[in-house]
Amino acid sequence: MDKQELGTFLRSRRERLRPQDVGLPSGPRRRTPGLRREEVAVLAHISTEYYIRLEQGRAASRPSGDVLAGIAAALLLTDAESDHLHVLAGTAPNRTGLHRRDVRPSILALLERLPQTAGFVMSAAFEVLAWNDLAAALMEDFAQLDPKDRNLARRAFLPPQHAEAPLYGISDAAEFRHQAVRELRATLARYPADPAVIALVDELRDASADFARLWERHDVQAAPTLTKTFRHPAVGEITVDCDSLALTDRDQHLVLYSAPQGSPSAEALALLGILGTTAAAYRQ
């Protein structure tokens, strides 16, 4: 159980709620935002003293599943937030050691067989582990980068000096940054002893005020991205459908960008397929 992170997460969720959100009268003006601790305890059907110990990181024992379910209901947690709560409390299956960077051979072969689709595999820490030629043409030639520089979270918050537009000119750069913070927080909860994950989060918190601000929100749920527009210097705007397929055995994602057949964006992708990695050079 990560007592301190659990307490901080509970406090952040409590402070976001208003009494009327949970059917309580607002009453006189409150000195601090959100519900009171005793109100959460009543709604969760636990003692106020125990809830206070949980929030202050002083609980001597791990809360039971029933207690966590009551707290999740009291704080109106989403499914993703409830899952995160169980991970922090140590009541969910927890991965140990390091997140995996090795990609299944069958996935590597699939990437090369995808027609008119840019595809890449991303680790739990936002590292691009494998990609096909169209992904390199659309985004950048990852083969020319040091593995450390293939991290999309680092690329989003700490773009290289030569980059004219951050993160490949995508239309939803701000939302992607928020998504990266949400998912990295969940990744750190799953791999609390992974030096690479810890170092990445520490680096981004120290070097990016935007990352640090978003990190303090303790968000862990992101809406799926359905479409994305790239502004490519060689072929102009390309709007793609986004599909992210979870590779659960290795805690990775296969990300696919495609365009409706016959659309201008499909034609632009086809042109990028012809240009190959020379198209990525236009970003330099």
Side-chain angles (χ1 to χ4, degrees):
M1 179 169 65
D2 188 337
K3 294 182 180 181
Q4 295 304 316
E5 186 64 21
L6 174 63
T8 301
F9 180 65
L10 289 175
R11 185 168 62 255
S12 73
R13 300 305 93 175
R14 175 176 61 81
E15 291 177 348
R16 290 190 174 192
L17 291 176
R18 301 169 300 173
Q20 53 267 40
D21 294 333
V22 294
L24 296 175
S26 56
R29 185 173 180 178
R30 298 176 177 226
R31 289 179 293 179
T32 57
L35 298 180
R36 298 186 176 98
R37 294 187 179 95
E38 57 267 28
E39 291 170 335
V40 176
V42 169
L43 292 169
H45 305 290
I46 60 177
S47 73
T48 299
E49 181 182 358
Y50 182 60
Y51 179 78
I52 290 174
R53 289 203 305 271
L54 281 175
E55 200 172 283
Q56 293 180 344
R58 297 187 296 108
S61 61
R62 178 183 301 168
S64 68
D66 288 341
V67 167
L68 292 173
I71 293 174
L75 295 175
L76 304 182
L77 299 187
T78 65
D79 289 344
E81 289 170 334
S82 181
D83 290 345
H84 187 62
L85 177 68
H86 280 269
V87 170
L88 294 177
T91 59
N94 201 19
R95 295 179 174 89
T96 59
L98 311 179
H99 71 288
R100 294 189 66 167
R101 293 183 168 103
D102 55 318
V103 180
R104 287 206 315 263
S106 60
I107 297 298
L108 295 175
L110 175 63
L111 280 174
E112 296 306 318
R113 295 196 301 265
L114 291 171
Q116 300 296 316
T117 301
F120 61 94
V121 177
M122 186 172 66
S123 77
F126 278 81
E127 300 144 312
V128 176
L129 303 174
W131 58 91
N132 61 15
D133 290 342
L134 191 52
L138 177 63
M139 301 166 72
E140 65 181 315
D141 190 358
F142 296 108
Q144 300 300 315
L145 302 177
D146 185 273
K148 178 181 178 181
D149 295 327
R150 297 174 193 158
N151 188 291
L152 295 185
R154 184 180 286 110
R155 181 71 166 77
F157 287 98
L158 307 175
Q161 293 182 353
H162 69 264
E164 294 183 3
L167 206 61
Y168 320 121
I170 61 173
S171 56
D172 62 338
E175 176 53 35
F176 179 83
R177 286 192 289 269
H178 198 178
Q179 174 193 351
V181 175
R182 293 178 182 118
E183 295 191 14
L184 281 176
R185 179 171 286 285
T187 296
L188 184 60
R190 296 195 302 275
Y191 302 97
D194 188 326
V197 176
I198 296 170
L200 175 64
V201 171
D202 287 346
E203 176 191 2
L204 294 177
R205 291 182 73 181
D206 290 341
S208 171
D210 191 26
F211 184 93
R213 175 182 61 82
L214 293 171
W215 186 262
E216 292 307 313
R217 295 176 53 145
H218 290 264
D219 293 338
V220 292
Q221 184 179 38
T225 300
L226 303 180
T227 62
K228 187 186 297 286
T229 297
F230 289 82
R231 296 179 181 90
H232 196 284
V235 298
E237 289 193 354
I238 306 176
T239 298
V240 296
D241 295 325
C242 304
D243 293 285
S244 181
L245 310 179
L247 308 176
T248 54
D249 63 318
R250 305 194 181 196
D251 201 12
Q252 298 167 356
H253 278 83
L254 173 61
V255 181
L256 305 174
Y257 295 144
S258 60
Q261 187 173 7
S263 67
S265 291
E267 295 175 0
L269 280 178
L271 178 56
L272 281 181
I274 296 172
L275 293 174
T277 55
T278 60
Y282 283 82
R283 295 194 181 277
Q284 303 303 318

